[in-house]
Amino acid sequence: MSCVRRVAVIAAPPVSMFNLAIPEMLFAKVDIDGAPGYETVLCAPDPGPVATTGGLDLHVPLGLDAADSADTVILAGSGSYTDPDPRILDALRRAAAAGKRIASICTGSFALAAAGLLDGRAATTYWAYRELLAERHPTVDLQGDVLFVQDGQVLTSSGYAAGIDLCLHIIRTDHGAAVANAVARLALVAPVRPGGQAQFTRTPLPPERGVSFAATRAWAMEHLDRPLTLTDLARHAGVSVRTLSRRFHAETGVSPLQWLLHQRVDRAKELLETTSLPMDQVARASGLGTADSLRQHLLRRTGLTPSAYRASFSRLAGATPAVSAS
């Protein structure tokens, strides 16, 4: 039986419409055995018309008490990030005291920091505001050029589309890789961008701007069961290994082999969730080689052994997945 998780998204005026839309768009696409996986509600300090950064007003029907009954509280980015509403800070502190999962998108991290929830925690924000956050809240362990960070019950993401990566990470944590990948496909976004992937900031691109390795990445995804090397990838792309490594990192924020390992682990997770293949076959099909290698990489990535991961996230009929606390 699926357990519907309640997500409350706080709109702090003037709220970013894009930030506000991301959680509803993604969580609404989660389907668990024919039932919704999440109920997403919007709330604000003052229910009713809420100003947006685009100059429009949105009608938000619920007050901040909606966050008290949620499993996850997400604060969307706002134009008032330097002066957060004290009522929002109180709601965030109540959520933290109750052990709820708390997340921010873009400049929402400033309110989390003002509420004291980021003291001593690893966190991030949109690169353009990183110095200001560090200056105002020096006790935050501010991470550099990353997409999102999770430290215990608190998650923070950088700007704009990184909120998509954060929400997919939450879905993957709650329901596994197969469900998160299905949502990503429906939303037409990349299913896996590691949280440590770089934000695309002021780092200059190499001069040859016409080269893209999207076709090579797609080819590699179809051949994950093979022992692919940098030479194999470069040969498919028709470039040197040196050019591949430089341009691939510029496009994705990670090296080709880091990207490949992440895809292999994600493929293994999906096979564990959707098949009853023995562990050695899962390892071979995902290109991880052996059951021992599968166990090592999955433990490092998820904290679970392959057997425990399958027990928690199996999508097979008749399976009884373990239910973890929200």
Side-chain angles (χ1 to χ4, degrees):
M1 178 181 295
S2 63
C3 177
V4 178
R5 292 170 164 85
R6 184 179 174 90
V7 178
V9 184
I10 297 177
V15 67
S16 162
M17 290 189 290
F18 182 66
N19 282 190
L20 201 61
I22 289 170
E24 192 282 329
M25 176 184 72
L26 295 176
F27 293 127
K29 289 179 169 59
V30 176
D31 181 281
I32 307 298
D33 301 327
Y38 296 93
E39 176 192 3
T40 305
V41 299
L42 302 182
C43 58
D46 297 304
V50 172
T52 71
T53 53
L56 302 176
D57 284 349
L58 293 177
H59 181 75
V60 177
L62 302 177
L64 293 176
D65 55 347
D68 295 335
S69 59
D71 304 298
T72 299
V73 177
I74 299 177
L75 183 60
S78 166
S80 61
Y81 61 92
T82 57
D83 186 26
D85 191 312
R87 293 171 294 177
I88 291 179
L89 302 186
D90 288 342
L92 293 172
R93 293 185 186 110
R94 289 197 306 273
K100 301 178 187 296
R101 179 168 53 196
I102 303 170
S104 67
I105 299 175
C106 196
T107 56
S109 54
F110 279 79
L112 267 61
L117 304 187
L118 299 184
D119 291 346
R121 291 186 186 271
T124 192
T125 194
Y126 183 42
W127 67 268
Y129 304 110
R130 191 186 308 144
E131 291 185 6
L132 180 60
L133 182 62
E135 178 184 329
R136 285 176 172 251
H137 302 284
T139 59
V140 177
D141 180 12
L142 194 60
Q143 302 297 295
D145 204 10
V146 299
L147 294 178
F148 64 85
V149 176
Q150 177 168 5
D151 190 331
Q153 74 191 88
V154 180
L155 302 91
T156 52
S157 73
S158 56
Y160 300 106
I164 296 174
D165 300 293
L166 179 138
C167 289
L168 287 174
H169 172 73
I170 290 174
I171 294 169
R172 189 175 295 109
T173 300
D174 290 344
H175 299 292
V179 173
N181 290 348
V183 170
R185 285 192 292 270
L186 289 171
L188 298 177
V189 296
V192 178
R193 290 205 301 171
Q197 177 172 317
Q199 297 179 43
F200 297 97
T201 58
R202 299 179 182 176
T203 304
L205 291 175
E208 60 271 27
R209 297 179 186 273
V211 180
S212 171
F213 296 120
T216 296
R217 290 194 293 273
W219 173 81
M221 290 291 290
E222 296 174 356
H223 299 88
L224 288 178
D225 58 333
R226 299 183 185 181
L228 299 176
T229 65
L230 280 175
T231 301
D232 295 327
L233 296 174
R235 183 182 298 117
H236 182 275
V239 297
S240 69
V241 168
R242 182 177 179 181
T243 297
L244 173 85
S245 298
R246 183 176 68 252
R247 290 292 305 173
F248 197 101
H249 193 282
E251 286 186 22
T252 68
V254 293
S255 73
L257 293 183
Q258 287 174 320
W259 178 87
L260 194 58
L261 177 59
H262 202 100
Q263 306 311 312
R264 293 191 191 285
V265 173
D266 204 54
R267 174 66 56 80
K269 289 161 65 178
E270 191 158 0
L271 290 172
L272 288 170
E273 296 168 28
T274 59
T275 76
S276 57
L277 289 173
M279 299 306 173
D280 57 344
Q281 292 186 34
V282 170
R284 287 197 299 271
S286 57
L288 293 173
T290 66
D292 284 343
S293 177
L294 168 65
R295 178 185 176 88
Q296 173 188 345
H297 287 295
L298 202 66
L299 268 172
R300 182 179 302 145
R301 190 67 56 82
T302 69
L304 297 173
T305 65
S307 296
Y309 186 90
R310 173 171 275 169
S312 295
F313 296 111
S314 176
R315 302 260 69 85
L316 297 178
T320 54
V323 177
S324 59
S326 299

